[in-house]
Amino acid sequence: MLDQQTINAQIGDLLATRRPGHSLPGAFYHDPAIFDFDLREIFGQAWLMVGFEVEVAAPGAYLAITIGRSPVVVLRGQDGVLRGFFNSCRHRGAQILPDGCGTAERLMCPYHQWMYDDRGALRGAGRMPRDFDKSQHGLKPIHVRTVAGTVYVCLAEQAPDFTAFHDALAPMLAPHDLLNAKVAAQATLVERGNWKLVMENARECYHCAARHPQLSVSFPTDARGNFLSSERVDILDFKQRMEAMGLPSAPVEGAWWQASRFALREGNESITIDGRPCVKKPMCSVNGGDVGSMRWALEPHSFCHALGDFVFMFIALPVAPEETIVMAKWLVHKDAQEGIDYTVDDLTTVWNETNLQDRDLVENNQRGVNSLGYIPGPYSESSESLAIRFVDWYAGRVAAAVPHPAPVRRPALVGL
């Protein structure tokens, strides 16, 4: 069996064969060793969006989610502080809380009933020796940060700086009042495709006109999949009006994040089946809720749209080299009543249909890149600029984590 240093060196050698502006060599989309690398060096080191503060608003409320092979939990303490932990018992490692949201003042492992408090400290461990020191067996913490009602975690010992992202996103998202929202619907899809194929697809609209008829009603792309020019008079007018109303709209970005407010297709006010708002009680009442979409996205795994009437979240979580879980959530104002102010079908149809269509595209893409005949192809600079940005970011992270390629022939990874 090859040691990790050798495997990393081989990954670096393979990355060096990638041509700029082209998709990745095939092994990056299906090789088990590269998948393990991605869990450790990409998802294990990045800030990841996991949900919203309203899901963990009350003391004792928790949000549990599995990132790669690591179950984690975010918990609101009785003191009101939000904390995060690896969701693994310090006895023999069992997962303590099931994935999802719930309430638990104390965390009890279902296996041998070891009990932890809301600060992660071990409080009960039956049948252990008299000299057993509970203080040495608390839950392992993870980093947790929030921005304007959204929640992020990082599993690394040292998390990347969060300040620039927070300071840029907070004023853009604040008008959507996410602290006074509720989760109205959620959906989970299992896609038989590598997580990078899921995200490359999610980062471009080259395919939208042909494959997303529902989304194309309101999404501002032309027949070629290009976003409508930011130099158009109507789009410039939209941005000026939004800024005048106190809604920051200019694009902002960092190495692993980006955000901007953009106009929807002319005559549309929301991303719905007919382009009209589908929730009577808006989340952002500025300009009567006609505020376009405030989109923000994080590498490696998420994007969101904050509209006048609802907020939509998309996150992708790797499960296996050729399997990814896609989770979606829809938020509406906390006082909006289902059946009176909105229906779940009206709220979710466009993005549910879009996600199902994208699942089929990703699974088809996976079958193609698995082929012996796969050759990395060029991206469209005009229609796939965000996909290029994503892959370049990924390639940069890989390059930073592996040795520089050397002119030495090494034994190849199985399947690589």
Side-chain angles (χ1 to χ4, degrees):
M1 180 177 293
L2 300 178
D3 61 74
Q4 192 60 57
Q5 184 176 4
T6 300
I7 291 173
N8 284 359
Q10 292 173 346
I11 293 172
D13 289 347
L14 183 64
L15 180 68
T17 69
R18 180 195 173 224
R19 295 172 61 188
H22 285 62
S23 58
L24 295 163
F28 280 98
Y29 299 116
H30 53 69
D31 190 88
I34 293 180
F35 178 76
D36 290 344
F37 174 92
D38 287 351
L39 294 188
R40 183 178 64 255
E41 299 294 343
I42 305 299
F43 282 83
Q45 301 296 319
W47 282 106
L48 305 169
M49 185 175 185
V50 294
F52 301 90
E53 283 200 72
V54 294
E55 299 179 274
V56 283
Y62 70 82
L63 187 163
I65 190 170
T66 297
I67 298 169
R69 300 189 183 100
S70 299
V72 301
V73 61
V74 176
L75 175 73
R76 181 75 66 180
Q78 297 300 313
D79 58 359
V81 176
L82 204 59
R83 299 181 177 89
F85 306 97
F86 283 99
N87 189 15
S88 300
C89 183
R90 290 294 309 281
H91 177 214
R92 286 167 54 188
Q95 181 170 333
I96 300 171
L97 293 169
D99 282 6
C101 293
T103 302
E105 291 186 9
R106 290 176 179 267
L107 314 182
M108 180 178 286
C109 178
Y111 199 176
H112 299 98
Q113 285 72 60
W114 279 32
M115 184 179 293
Y116 305 84
D117 66 18
D118 57 13
R119 295 171 183 255
L122 179 62
R123 295 304 184 191
R127 304 188 189 183
M128 300 306 288
R130 189 181 296 270
D131 61 353
F132 176 70
D133 185 356
K134 291 196 294 289
S135 68
Q136 299 302 307
H137 294 82
L139 297 179
K140 185 176 179 180
I142 61 174
H143 302 276
V144 179
R145 293 290 301 270
T146 63
V147 184
T150 56
V151 181
Y152 307 85
V153 302
C154 180
L155 310 189
E157 293 291 337
Q158 292 280 23
D161 181 68
F162 195 80
T163 305
F165 171 64
H166 175 280
D167 292 351
L169 182 63
M172 300 183 77
L173 192 53
H176 293 268
D177 199 18
L178 266 65
L179 292 175
N180 286 303
K182 65 180 179 181
V183 176
Q186 49 191 322
T188 301
L189 282 179
V190 177
E191 302 192 6
R192 295 190 298 273
N194 183 269
W195 70 271
K196 293 185 287 294
L197 293 180
V198 173
M199 292 312 302
E200 286 185 53
N201 177 78
R203 289 289 191 258
E204 52 94 351
C205 222
Y206 194 3
H207 65 282
C208 288
R211 299 309 304 266
H212 293 323
Q214 295 88 356
L215 182 64
S216 294
V217 169
S218 57
F219 222 65
T221 55
D222 61 25
R224 295 174 297 172
N226 298 329
F227 281 95
L228 299 181
S229 172
S230 60
E231 302 304 316
R232 281 176 39 159
V233 173
D234 57 327
I235 293 176
L236 289 172
D237 177 65
F238 167 82
K239 290 186 176 294
Q240 291 169 356
R241 286 189 292 111
M242 293 299 105
E243 295 280 353
M245 294 176 189
L247 298 181
S249 301
V252 291
E253 65 177 34
W256 50 269
W257 58 272
Q258 56 184 219
S260 68
R261 185 178 301 277
F262 61 86
L264 299 177
R265 191 179 292 277
E266 188 174 2
N268 292 266
E269 297 181 25
S270 188
I271 302 177
T272 57
I273 200 69
D274 60 4
R276 299 191 184 97
C278 65
V279 186
K280 293 179 181 177
K281 188 169 185 59
M283 292 184 64
C284 179
S285 58
V286 175
N287 198 36
D290 184 5
V291 294
S293 174
M294 205 297 287
R295 173 191 176 272
W296 75 102
L298 274 67
E299 315 299 7
H301 82 135
S302 66
F303 71 83
C304 300
H305 288 275
L307 303 140
D309 54 337
F310 69 92
V311 171
F312 172 74
M313 179 194 84
F314 172 108
I315 62 174
L317 299 169
V319 176
E322 297 180 29
E323 184 175 331
T324 305
I325 287 177
V326 167
M327 297 180 62
K329 293 182 181 180
W330 291 259
L331 275 71
V332 301
H333 193 280
K334 66 180 182 181
D335 295 334
Q337 299 181 55
E338 183 182 352
I340 298 175
D341 297 308
Y342 70 95
T343 68
V344 170
D345 186 58
D346 288 343
L347 180 68
T348 62
T349 291
V350 168
W351 283 114
N352 267 337
E353 290 297 318
T354 299
N355 284 346
L356 288 168
Q357 293 153 0
D358 281 337
R359 179 195 62 186
D360 294 344
L361 294 172
V362 166
E363 292 182 353
N364 179 69
N365 199 177
Q366 183 71 61
R367 291 191 293 272
V369 299
N370 286 350
S371 168
L372 293 174
Y374 167 72
I375 300 173
Y379 296 105
S380 164
E381 292 186 6
S382 62
S383 298
E384 296 174 293
S385 60
L386 293 182
I388 295 172
R389 185 186 193 276
F390 167 74
V391 175
D392 284 350
W393 171 85
Y394 171 79
R397 295 297 305 148
V398 174
V402 301
H404 292 294
V408 177
R409 286 194 64 84
R410 302 181 176 94
L413 287 171
V414 174
L416 197 148

